[in-house]
Amino acid sequence: MRHRSVADLMTPNAVVVQRGTSFREIARLLEEYDITAVPVIDEGERPVGVVSEADLLRRHIEKMGPATAEALMTSPAVVAHPEWSVVRAARTMDEKKVKRLPVVDGAGRLIGVISRSDLIQLFLRRDRAIQEEILEDVLTRTLGVPPSAVTVEVTDGMVTLSGAIRRRSLIPVAVRLCESVDGVVEVLDRLTFEEDDTAAQPGRPAAGPAPSTPDLFP
């Protein structure tokens, strides 16, 4: 299975400002491009901070200090890398309490921005595409389950698995793998099994729980 990365979802050619950009110019850019924050870059195109609508409002209320990007910005900038998974980007946003992340290359130069709204695109993935990935990648290639054994129904990202698979221990694995597919909101398990291989046998412990996979939005 291939999960989309930050590079797949980020907005390239992001709107940026310099350290000396004025309050009024920043406000104009936010309005013109319908964005809520803008990265501040240095002479080497490396992000050094971010100016948000909240920063502008705070300066307007306090009316203290110079009204330039360098004085207004939240620094240092919390950044992401293009190879990151969207899970990692989402968790970083949640942990750092930010709504968007500048994306930098190996040299630290800005190459784009990823926002919460970009991450939401995952849940707009077509149901047919989700169904095909589960049938072909999860069930057939990964678990070796014949396509005819399981019925996969997807409605608005809600996945229902029904049918019978050979071993009981594969059921929680299948559910967790389906939950990790991009665009899946929830998985309803209606699977049955032919052989209960989770029961303890002499010389062999009962099968343990399925390995966990990270949720997209914690």
Side-chain angles (χ1 to χ4, degrees), residues 9-203:
L9 297 179
M10 72 178 188
T11 301
N13 304 316
V15 178
V16 299
V17 297
Q18 308 290 330
R19 295 176 190 265
T21 304
S22 69
F23 179 107
R24 182 177 291 273
E25 177 63 9
I26 296 170
R28 185 190 69 78
L29 290 171
L30 297 185
E31 172 68 21
E32 179 179 347
Y33 291 96
D34 192 24
I35 53 179
T36 60
V38 61
V40 183
I41 60 172
D42 63 14
E43 295 77 5
E45 299 184 353
R46 294 179 293 268
V48 294
V50 174
V51 178
S52 67
E53 291 175 329
D55 295 322
L56 295 182
L57 290 173
R58 187 179 305 110
R59 170 60 178 76
H60 178 70
I61 293 170
E62 296 176 353
K63 298 186 183 302
M64 295 177 61
T68 62
E70 185 169 22
L72 295 166
M73 69 184 182
T74 299
S75 180
V78 180
V79 301
H81 296 273
E83 69 275 11
W84 277 15
S85 69
V86 293
V87 173
R88 184 172 181 180
R91 285 184 171 168
T92 299
M93 289 182 193
D94 182 62
E95 291 169 1
K96 301 298 183 180
K97 308 303 179 188
V98 295
K99 296 180 180 180
R100 60 181 60 222
L101 300 170
V103 183
V104 299
D105 62 16
R109 293 185 296 265
L110 185 75
I111 58 174
V113 170
I114 187 164
S115 67
R116 289 181 180 178
S117 60
D118 294 324
L119 299 181
I120 293 299
Q121 291 181 30
L122 286 179
F123 299 104
L124 301 179
R125 192 180 182 197
R126 296 177 62 181
D127 290 340
R128 181 62 179 273
I130 295 172
Q131 181 188 47
E132 290 176 351
E133 181 172 343
I134 290 174
L135 283 170
E136 296 173 8
D137 292 346
V138 174
L139 297 176
T140 303
R141 294 195 184 97
T142 303
L143 299 179
V145 175
S148 59
V150 175
T151 298
V152 179
E153 298 177 355
V154 184
T155 304
D156 295 333
M158 304 286 288
V159 177
T160 300
L161 302 176
S162 57
I165 60 178
R166 182 172 178 79
R167 293 186 287 123
R168 183 177 185 177
S169 62
L170 285 180
I171 293 178
V173 177
V175 171
R176 293 296 293 177
L177 287 175
C178 289
E179 288 174 339
S180 72
V181 169
D182 290 343
V184 170
V185 176
E186 187 177 348
V187 177
L188 178 60
D189 170 22
R190 292 180 176 169
L191 293 169
T192 60
F193 55 90
E194 299 173 2
E195 173 190 343
D196 186 358
D197 61 338
T198 64
Q201 297 180 9

